[in-house]
Amino acid sequence: MISTEELLDTIRGEVLLGEPMKEHTALRIGGYADFYVDPLDRDDLCRALSLFELRNLPYTLIGRGTNLLVHDDGIRGAVIATSRALGEYTIKKNIVTAGAGVPLAVLAEKTFSLSLGGMEMLQGVPGTVGGAIAMNAGAYGQEIAGVVSWVEVFENGRPRVVPVEGIEFGYRYSSLGGCVILGSGMKLGKLSAAEHDKRDRLRREAFRERASSQPLSRPNAGSIFRNPRPEENPSGLGAGQMIDACGLKGARSGGAMISREHANIIINTGEARAADVVELICLAKEHVRKMFGVTLELEIKLFGYEKILC
Ligand SMILES: Cc1cc2nc3c(=O)[nH]c(=O)nc-3n(C[C@H](O)[C@H](O)[C@H](O)COP(=O)(O)OP(=O)(O)OC[C@H]3O[C@@H](n4cnc5c(N)ncnc54)[C@H](O)[C@@H]3O)c2cc1C
């Protein structure tokens, strides 16, 4: 085990004991993490990781918490934040080098303003570079996988660079999902003025579409379910369309509600608990299974759960 003194002696950044995870998730839900560690910089973060591995303390990386459901009983072990420690980036010509904690939206906007294309449609994805690589985040025809050249991971006590050829990416999947991602190199394309204008129009359309179809002002974690694989889904409908067809928009459990704007999103109307969200997840799965014969799979990541039984 690890003593609080040892943690405070080793880590120069902030170490919070019994930190409520609802302060760190977009859903504003989640019980206490034993330790919430916000390292000062990259070295500090690597030192924390080495210590946890040496002492066998379970830990989990968190970016901006925009794709998470944290159990009401919280998380045992440490949660390590990346935003501060890994929050730097540089852009040289068309090559971007970014720490895992850099907000994707910042990078997408900055690169596009420099007429670099390849991640402009990801501006509406509210997570970090690390979260995006772990999940292969994507939107409106672009995925982070499309620009990644290499990823730096922390493994066996030291950083290691993995070239893109060594990474498997799929729909909301990356083979680096279980790794600690420190940062990434990305190669973008130089845009002509005409191409920039064209993409700018598409980007603005996407913003408008997102604003009109998603409950952006209410706490939520984006899409709850993955869209089913076409071969398992004769209806051809997306997860949200199937849930909508089951008449579940507006369904409530405690403080959680299936969004009226987008049926694949669950919002926290105020004091929702993770258990309320799980009720709605199971309700949606049950109805979709009955009506379409399709078993929906979660896109959001569960922290503090072994698994959800429904
Ligand atoms: C309003 C809204 C809209 C969204 N729209 C989209 C969308 O269009 N497309 C889309 O793909 N997603 C979307 N999402 C989901 C989410 O923003 C993305 O999945 C994002 O990439 C998650 O990044 P994060 O930093 O918040 O990760 P977190 O939620 O903090 O973590 C997600 C997972 O990544 C892991 N992780 C985070 N950082 C690291 C790291 N450095 N190393 C290793 N693992 C790490 C975590 O352990 C966890 O398993 C949306 C979410 C919201 C709230």
Side-chain angles (χ1 to χ4, degrees), residues 62-66 81-84 86-87 99-105 107 125-135 137 144 181:
I62 186 173
R64 304 187 93 200
T66 61
T82 58
S83 290
R84 175 159 60 157
L86 304 173
V102 176
L104 201 57
L107 214 51
V125 181
T128 59
V129 166
I133 292 173
M135 307 280 304
I144 191 86
I181 297 165

Side-chain angles (χ1 to χ4, degrees), residues 121 124-126 138-140 205-214 216:
M121 303 307 274
V125 181
Y140 300 100
E205 256 172 50
F207 286 154
R208 275 195 294 276
E209 211 264 332
R210 211 182 255 280
S212 66
S213 64
Q214 294 184 10
L216 297 182

Side-chain angles (χ1 to χ4, degrees), residues 284-302:
K285 283 186 76 167
E286 189 191 323
H287 277 73
V288 167
R289 207 181 286 128
K290 269 194 199 139
M291 188 180 263
F292 295 97
V294 169
T295 300
L296 292 176
E297 289 172 19
L298 288 179
E299 179 168 323
I300 53 161
K301 297 290 177 193
L302 305 176

Side-chain angles (χ1 to χ4, degrees), residues 93-256:
K93 294 194 178 156
N94 63 333
I95 306 293
V96 177
T97 308
V102 176
L104 201 57
V106 168
L107 214 51
E109 176 155 41
K110 181 69 189 171
T111 51
F112 194 62
S113 76
L114 296 171
S115 287
L116 297 175
M119 57 191 308
E120 63 280 358
M121 303 307 274
L122 303 181
Q123 196 174 329
V125 181
T128 59
V129 166
I133 292 173
M135 307 280 304
N136 189 19
Y140 300 100
Q142 285 182 350
E143 289 178 336
I144 191 86
V147 293
V148 167
S149 295
W150 51 264
V151 175
E152 190 182 27
V153 296
F154 189 85
E155 221 173 57
N156 302 322
R158 63 172 69 91
R160 178 171 82 90
V161 171
V162 187
V164 67
E165 296 76 23
I167 308 168
E168 203 189 318
F169 284 113
Y171 164 61
R172 302 295 170 269
Y173 167 81
S174 145
S175 53
L176 298 181
C179 300
V180 172
I181 297 165
L182 295 177
S184 173
M186 289 164 263
K187 190 173 174 183
L188 282 78
K190 190 80 190 138
L191 299 174
S192 67
E195 185 62 19
H196 187 275
D197 284 355
K198 185 176 145 204
R199 291 196 189 196
D200 197 27
R201 277 196 296 279
L202 292 173
R203 196 175 68 118
R204 285 170 195 282
E205 256 172 50
F207 286 154
R208 275 195 294 276
E209 211 264 332
R210 211 182 255 280
S212 66
S213 64
Q214 294 184 10
L216 297 182
S217 61
R218 314 295 292 271
N220 74 82
S223 296
I224 294 286
F225 297 106
R226 303 159 60 86
N227 284 320
R229 284 175 279 277
E231 62 275 18
E232 292 165 9
N233 177 26
S235 77
L237 299 176
Q241 291 168 312
M242 288 195 272
I243 298 167
D244 189 10
C246 294
L248 292 177
K249 274 185 172 173
R252 281 174 172 269
S253 171

